[in-house]
Amino acid sequence: MVEIQNTGERVTVELKGDIDHHSAAGIRSEIDAVLENSTPGILILSFSEVKFMDSSGIGLILGRMRVLEGFGGKLFIKNINGTAERIVKLAGLSGLII
C-alpha cells in the first residue's frame, strides 16, 4: 500500500507494509502512473512504515530510477531503517538516502 503526494515538481511516496514479490508489482504500477502523468524532477520514497523488504524492493527502486532518468528526474530515499536499510546499502544504493 502507498500514499502519494504530488506537487508537480516533487512526488513523495509513503510506502507501507511489506515490499516483496507479491506487493512490488502493484506498488510499481501506482508510482509509474503518477510519474508518467507528471514527470517530476524529484521522487522521494519514504520507508518509515515498511516492515519488511526483500530484493523486490531493490528492483522497485532501480526501476523507478530508470524511469526518472528518462526525463531528467532524481530519486531519493528517506526514513529507512532496519533490514530495508541494510539491503539498500548492500545493493550499493546508500547514496540515495537523505
Side-chain angles (χ1 to χ4, degrees):
M1 186 170 138
V2 299
E3 282 184 26
I4 299 175
Q5 296 178 342
N6 183 356
T7 65
E9 177 59 26
R10 176 185 292 192
V11 172
T12 302
V13 179
E14 184 68 44
L15 301 162
K16 298 181 179 195
D18 295 345
I19 301 175
D20 57 22
H21 69 280
H22 296 292
S23 63
I27 294 169
R28 274 194 304 273
S29 295
E30 286 187 62
I31 296 171
D32 286 353
V34 173
L35 296 180
E36 289 172 16
N37 290 326
S38 63
T39 60
I42 298 172
L43 171 64
I44 298 174
L45 300 177
S46 176
F47 284 77
S48 62
E49 296 188 42
V50 172
K51 307 297 181 210
F52 170 82
M53 184 177 89
D54 64 13
S55 61
S56 300
I58 297 302
L60 177 76
I61 294 167
L62 291 174
R64 304 315 47 83
M65 282 178 59
R66 281 188 221 109
V67 170
L68 286 158
E69 288 172 356
F71 51 82
K74 295 190 181 216
L75 181 143
F76 297 99
I77 297 169
K78 73 175 191 174
N79 300 325
I80 192 166
N81 54 52
T83 303
E85 182 178 19
R86 285 192 295 280
I87 291 170
V88 166
K89 287 182 176 180
L90 284 171
L93 301 175
S94 58
L96 302 175
I97 300 172
I98 55 172

